Every structure is written in C-alpha cells, then in structure tokens.
C-alpha cells in the first residue's frame, strides 16, 4: 500500500511541468511544488521535529499554505490542520489539546499567531508562510538551500498517523482524529473508482482545504489534477470561476450550494467543463438537489463520510441521480446518500450491537481501511466508537432493499415529544421545499406538556419574507401533529461552523439555557 505522499509524487512523475496550483497570479507546476515540499520537510527535520510531533498549518486557501501541508506530510510528522474560519478560542484549544510542536501561519492571521505563541506551551517554533510576522521568519528565509536532494525523512508505514484533523461532534469537546496512510489510500481508491475522468481534473478549492474539500482535492493529484485556490465564498464569484478556470470538480457544502442556486445570475454562466459537483458535510434538501441537477447538468454527486472515516463511505453517482429522476418508482433515492463505496463497508446496528436488515432504523456503522486509528490520547472515546468491531458514526440511518443508504439524523439530535421519536432531518426536508427558505434547523425545546416540543428555526433567502404562521400551518398539514413544529422562528442568520455546518447544538442551547436538564 502506498503512503499518502507517494500519491502526490505520482502526479509529479506524470506531468512535472503541468500547472498544479493556481492562486491569483501565482502559478506553480508539479515539479516546483515538489521541490518546495522537500525543502520544507528538510527544514522541519533540521528543526528537530520528530515523527510524533504534530505540525500545524493555519492559513486560508493559498498555494503556499497547501504546499506546507505536503511538506509536513513528506517529513513524516503528523499534519495538524487548523480551520481559519473557526474562532481563536477553538483553535487555541485544538493546538493545546493536540500539543502542537511547530506552526506554519499566514500573515493575515498574525494577531491569532501571537496569541497562539503565547498560550500554546508545546510550540517550539513558528514560520509565517508569506512574510516575516509575529517575531517569526518568513518561509523563504527559513527554508534550507535547494541542493536538489530529495532527503531522508522519517519512515512511515500504512497505519502510521499522517494527519490529526479535529472534530467536536455532538459533545462540543475537541477530539483529534488520527488518520493513517491507509485511511487516505482507501479514500483515494474509493474516489477514483467512483469518479473516473475523461479530461485532466481541475478542482476549485472554495471550502477550506484543511477539511473535506482538501481530501477531495487530494484524490485527483495522482491523475495530474490541478487545484485553483478561491478564497471568496460569494456565490456569484464561485459561479463565474467555474467557467473562467474550466473547473471539472467542485466540492460544496449545502449552504454554499443553496446560495449559488438562489443567485440571480445562476443560469448565465458556462458550466460545460463540470464533471462532478460533490455535496457533503450535511444533509441536502431534495428540492435543491433537483434544481442543482437542472442547473449544472447530470454531474451531481452526494457523498457520505465523516472525519473519522474520510472521503467516501457511501456515494451517489451522477448516473444514479439520473436514473432516480427518470423512474418515478426510484425517485425516493434522491433522499439517499447512495450505495456502499468499493473500499468501505457500512451497516445499520441497534443499541445492543446486532446488525439490522433492510428497512430497519438504527445507527450507521462503518468498517474498512479508511477508518481512523483512534482519537488522539483518548482511549475511552476510541473504545466507545469502536464497539462490536465497527466504527460508530453517531448517525441514524436505514438501508433499502437495493443497498441505498438514507441518513435520517444524528443519533443525539433525535427529539422525543409526547413519547414519540421525531427525527429533525425528516422535518427539515419538508421545510427546505417551502418557497423562500434558504436553510433551516429543527431542534427540541423544553416543554412541560410534551417533554420536548419541535421547534423550527428558519433562514430566508435574501430579500424574501416568510410568513411563519402560514409555514407552520403548511407543515402541520404535510407532517401531522406529532412531527410538525409547534413553533417556527425566523432568524436572519443561522449559526454555522467554519465548514458551513449549521450548529444545532448552539441553537438548542438557547432553548435549554438555565435549566437543570437538556432532554
């Protein structure tokens, strides 16, 4: 099995002189990028960074920041990605809890870097990737001379840790997810088996490359895939960039996709280069999915995975979407996330560890090389999610007779109202279909009569006014008295994470604040 960096080197060997990274006016070929990664790796070893010393990157989507990521991986040290869209307090917790030893940061984050240097005691040194800042050298002055050698770095095997992304899940506590060479190799194998290319891939990097978007971008590198950095999340600029750069591959979280579809000029751009538009990170509105296929063509994919089992567990290909749309008997599959990826296994399990059959609802569990080694220095949590020989996702799902997986909700998000189980995802699908709704979240709020009452918090499209009372009546007609929200609230903006996920726990906390119970 190849180590992750060897997939990068395949791209270098295939087309050394092809442009690999595009960042504004900056163009870097595969060969140029590879040389820089060797110098970064050599610099880390000269600085005393060992194979168990996490090295962090904290930068927006830039060519220099992405190159540092590969330099860290090449050195054999674990790469610790830091999401710049998170708040400084959360990123401080990430760096402290994971005991970061070295930091590469962008000068736009100098204030944050100053705090990190002062408050993360394990840090040995830091380098600013684009200019001297915060008392730290610029990358160019820190790098050892380019002597043309490839260097000797820390030896790493298939199950050695390559990266430690972090996740808070439903608990709110940061956990370090230890991903191995085998995890990434399985992810690349799944992706390329499911998404073949008839042209050289070009990925538009809009979502942070430190997270899911980076995993997907990395899978095209062995094919000589180029990556275009795009720091602007304005939907209109994303739409224009597709045609300008002849983008083949775009990973978008649902929130950005909804904004793109709602843009007044969405049908005026050229999308003929697109091969795959991938949605992941959160459930997708079936109504918007249909619209996306109409606008962008038969290129839409849905992906199911999580940080602990990255890239692809289940996948809905463009062909499967087209087939579901063409056959009324199969259109319900549009609500699924597809079928099992070639190099992964999923199943549905009850609370006692028994595997369930088609149509039975339970927790989604996963097996395969892609699953993490465990949580960083957290054997208790690792054991909890590894019970019965499967990785437990915390998601509730069901599999139909044809093997299509449907994600119903997060296990801990389930609302028990009047003794009945209500899954917010089912209610949200109906709300998303209402005209003018950009996004929504359904949570349980305390109620003396029902124990929990179903509450919908709705964000309208820009310039649209929604009648909350009329929406509530419509939902009651469609969902019945148990599932329909007892209350519909209109918020200007829903709280979101740096990855664009709606933070349900933040919404829920507002209703339960000050109480001695949370269920």
């Amino acid at each position: 099995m190849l180590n992750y960096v060897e997939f990068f080197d395949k791209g270098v060997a295939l087309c050394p002189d092809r442009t690999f990274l595009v960042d504004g006016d900056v163009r870097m070929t595969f060969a140029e990028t590879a040389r820089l990664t060797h110098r970064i790796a050599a610099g880390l070893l000269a600085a005393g960074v060992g194979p168990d010393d996490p090295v962090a990157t904290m930068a927006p989507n830039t060519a220099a920041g992405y190159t540092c990521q590969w330099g860290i991986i090449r050195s054999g040290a674990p790469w610790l990605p830091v999401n710049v869209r998170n708040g400084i307090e959360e990123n401080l917790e990430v760096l402290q809890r994971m005991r970061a030893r070295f930091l590469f940061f962008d000068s736009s984050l100098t204030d944050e870097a100053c705090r990190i240097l002062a408050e993360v005691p394990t840090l040995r040194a830091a380098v600013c990737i684009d200019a001297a800042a915060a008392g730290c050298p610029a990358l160019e002055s820190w790098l050892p001379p380019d002597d043309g050698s490839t260097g000797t770095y820390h030896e790493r095997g298939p199950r050695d840790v390559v990266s430690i992304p972090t996740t808070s899940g439903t608990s709110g506590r940061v956990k370090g997810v230890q991903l191995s060479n085998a995890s990434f190799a399985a992810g690349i194998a799944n992706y390329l088996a499911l998404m073949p290319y008839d042209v050289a891939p070009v990925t538009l990097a809009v979502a942070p490359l430190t997270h899911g978007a980076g995993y997907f971008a990395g899978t095209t590198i062995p094919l000589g895939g180029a990556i275009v950095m795009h720091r602007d999340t304005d939907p209109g600029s994303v739409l224009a960039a597709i045609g300008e750069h002849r983008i083949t591959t775009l990973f978008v979280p649902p929130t950005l996709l909804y904004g793109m579809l709602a843009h007044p000029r969405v049908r005026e751009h050229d999308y003929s280069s697109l091969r795959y538009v991938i949605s992941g990170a959160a459930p997708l509105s079936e109504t918007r999915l249909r619209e996306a296929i109409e606008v962008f063509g038969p290129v839409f994919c849905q992906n199911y995975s999580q940080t602990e089992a990255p890239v692809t567990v289940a996948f809905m290909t463009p062909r499967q979407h087209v087939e579901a749309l063409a056959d009324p008997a199969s259109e319900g599959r549009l609500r699924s996330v597809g079928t099992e990826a070639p190099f992964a296994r999923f199943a549905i399990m009850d609370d006692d560890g028994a595997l369930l059959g088609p149509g039975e609802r339970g927790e989604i569990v996963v097996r395969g090389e892609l699953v993490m080694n465990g949580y960083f220095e957290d054997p208790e949590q690792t054991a909890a999610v590894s019970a019965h020989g499967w990785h437990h996702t915390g998601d509730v799902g069901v599999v139909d007779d044809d093997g299509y997986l449907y994600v119903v909700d997060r296990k801990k998000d389930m609302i028990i109202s009047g003794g009945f189980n209500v899954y917010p995802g089912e209610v949200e699908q109906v709300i998303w279909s209402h005209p003018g709704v950009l996004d929504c979240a359904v949570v349980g709020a305390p109620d003396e009569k029902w124990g929990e009452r179903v509450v919908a918090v709705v964000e309208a499209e820009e310039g649209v006014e929604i009648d909350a009372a009329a929406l509530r009546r419509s939902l009651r007609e469609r969902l019945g008295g148990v599932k329909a929200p007892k209350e519909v609230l209109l918020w200007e903006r829903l709280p979101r994470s740096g990855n664009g996920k709606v933070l349900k726990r933040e919404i829920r906390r507002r209703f339960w604040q000050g109480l001695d119970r949370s269920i």
Side-chain angles (χ1 to χ4, degrees):
M1 180 177 290
L2 296 181
N3 285 351
Y4 190 30
V5 74
E6 292 179 279
F7 288 100
F8 174 85
D9 289 337
K10 276 182 171 289
V12 178
L14 181 68
C15 45
D17 298 324
R18 186 186 181 209
T19 297
F20 171 44
L21 300 177
V22 177
D23 184 4
D25 294 332
V26 174
R27 300 288 191 277
M28 295 177 64
T29 67
F30 272 90
E32 289 168 342
T33 308
R35 286 299 326 139
L36 187 52
T37 66
H38 280 286
R39 295 175 69 193
I40 292 167
L44 288 172
L45 266 64
V49 173
D52 298 318
D53 295 337
V55 178
T57 57
M58 186 175 69
N61 287 353
T62 65
Y66 193 61
T67 304
C68 286
Q69 166 194 322
W70 281 105
I72 295 164
I73 294 170
R74 187 178 294 285
S75 78
W79 168 50
L80 177 60
V82 177
N83 190 343
V84 299
R85 298 181 186 178
N86 291 340
I88 180 60
E89 299 300 332
E90 182 173 350
N91 284 338
L92 274 170
E93 182 183 1
V94 165
L95 292 160
Q96 290 165 349
R97 190 177 292 277
M98 302 306 120
R99 299 208 309 270
R101 300 300 180 90
F102 202 100
L103 171 69
F104 292 96
F105 69 94
D106 189 87
S107 63
S108 63
L109 300 161
T110 298
D111 290 345
E112 290 88 338
C114 287
R115 278 199 63 184
I116 288 166
L117 289 164
E119 297 181 37
V120 180
T122 55
L123 271 180
R124 295 175 181 168
V127 168
C128 184
I129 61 176
D130 57 328
C136 301
L139 178 65
E140 189 55 44
S141 63
W142 171 83
L143 287 169
D146 186 1
D147 59 6
S149 67
T150 56
T152 301
Y153 313 114
H154 300 301
E155 289 290 332
R156 309 301 279 165
R159 295 310 312 183
D160 286 325
V161 175
V162 174
S163 180
I164 313 177
T166 54
T167 179
S168 56
T170 55
S171 68
R173 181 190 176 196
V174 169
K175 298 188 289 291
V177 178
Q178 299 179 110
L179 298 179
S180 68
N181 280 303
S183 298
F184 286 102
I188 290 172
N190 276 327
Y191 181 95
L192 296 182
L194 290 162
M195 299 175 60
Y197 285 88
D198 58 352
V199 295
V202 182
T203 299
L204 185 66
V206 182
L209 285 170
T210 49
H211 290 69
Y215 299 152
F216 277 101
T219 61
T220 69
I221 295 175
L223 303 179
I227 302 173
V228 178
M229 305 294 167
H230 195 84
R231 303 178 208 181
D232 187 355
T233 57
D234 173 70
S237 71
V238 175
L239 294 169
I242 294 171
E244 178 185 351
H245 295 285
R246 304 299 296 166
I247 299 300
T248 66
T249 311
L250 176 64
F251 175 86
V252 286
T255 301
L256 177 56
L257 177 65
Y258 298 162
M260 292 163 62
L261 292 172
H263 194 275
R265 299 188 61 189
V266 66
R267 297 177 186 272
E268 298 178 17
H269 296 282
D270 177 14
Y271 309 126
S272 60
S273 61
L274 284 175
R275 296 298 186 272
Y276 304 106
V277 176
I278 310 150
S279 177
L284 187 66
S285 159
E286 181 183 346
T287 301
R288 298 303 175 97
L289 171 58
R290 291 176 180 273
E291 185 181 355
I293 295 171
E294 179 190 349
V295 170
F296 298 113
V299 297
F300 211 82
C301 312
Q302 290 190 77
N303 177 71
Y304 174 73
S305 62
Q306 60 177 194
T307 306
E308 294 89 337
V311 184
T312 306
V313 171
F315 200 80
M316 186 83 161
T317 66
R319 178 184 58 79
Q320 288 171 318
H321 280 101
V322 170
E323 290 174 351
L325 284 169
D327 180 7
S330 301
E331 65 180 356
R333 290 178 181 171
L334 294 176
R335 295 189 294 274
S336 86
V337 290
T339 51
E340 203 170 66
F343 301 96
R345 293 290 311 280
F346 64 69
I348 306 298
M349 182 177 286
D350 69 14
D351 291 339
D352 297 321
L355 297 181
L356 304 176
E360 296 185 278
R361 185 171 290 185
E363 184 176 9
I364 301 170
V365 292
V366 180
R367 291 170 72 174
E369 292 291 338
L370 75 169
V371 174
M372 67 171 181
N373 287 6
Y375 293 118
F376 181 79
E377 296 186 349
D378 198 339
E380 185 176 327
Q381 286 292 323
T382 299
V385 300
S386 306
H388 310 295
W390 293 77
H391 170 70
H392 292 247
T393 66
D395 291 328
V396 179
V398 62
V399 179
D400 67 17
D401 290 331
D402 297 312
Y404 283 79
L405 175 65
Y406 299 77
V407 182
V408 177
D409 228 309
R410 289 292 297 172
K411 193 173 182 180
K412 294 184 179 180
D413 283 345
M414 186 180 72
I415 302 165
I416 303 177
S417 184
F420 293 96
N421 293 345
V422 178
Y423 292 93
E426 296 178 335
V427 182
E428 289 162 354
Q429 282 289 344
V430 178
I431 298 173
W432 277 323
S433 69
H434 188 83
V437 171
L438 178 66
D439 211 346
C440 67
V442 172
V443 299
D447 190 277
E448 290 185 9
K449 179 179 180 181
W450 303 104
E452 288 184 281
R453 70 180 184 277
V454 182
V455 176
V457 181
V458 175
E459 179 181 335
E461 293 178 359
E462 188 174 351
V464 175
E465 290 189 12
I466 294 176
D467 185 329
L471 174 56
R472 181 168 174 264
R473 287 193 298 270
S474 172
L475 294 172
R476 185 176 178 85
E477 290 175 4
R478 298 178 63 181
L479 292 167
V482 174
K483 295 181 180 179
K486 301 289 191 294
E487 189 176 7
V488 173
L489 302 175
L490 302 177
W491 288 9
E492 185 176 350
R493 293 284 184 274
L494 298 180
R496 293 184 174 88
S497 70
N499 296 329
K501 288 184 179 180
V502 173
L503 294 172
K504 282 192 178 181
R505 68 175 181 269
E506 296 295 333
I507 297 171
R508 196 172 188 275
R509 187 178 295 143
R510 301 189 192 188
F511 294 100
W512 293 86
Q513 201 165 20
L515 298 180
D516 57 3
R517 66 186 183 94
S518 59
I519 190 170

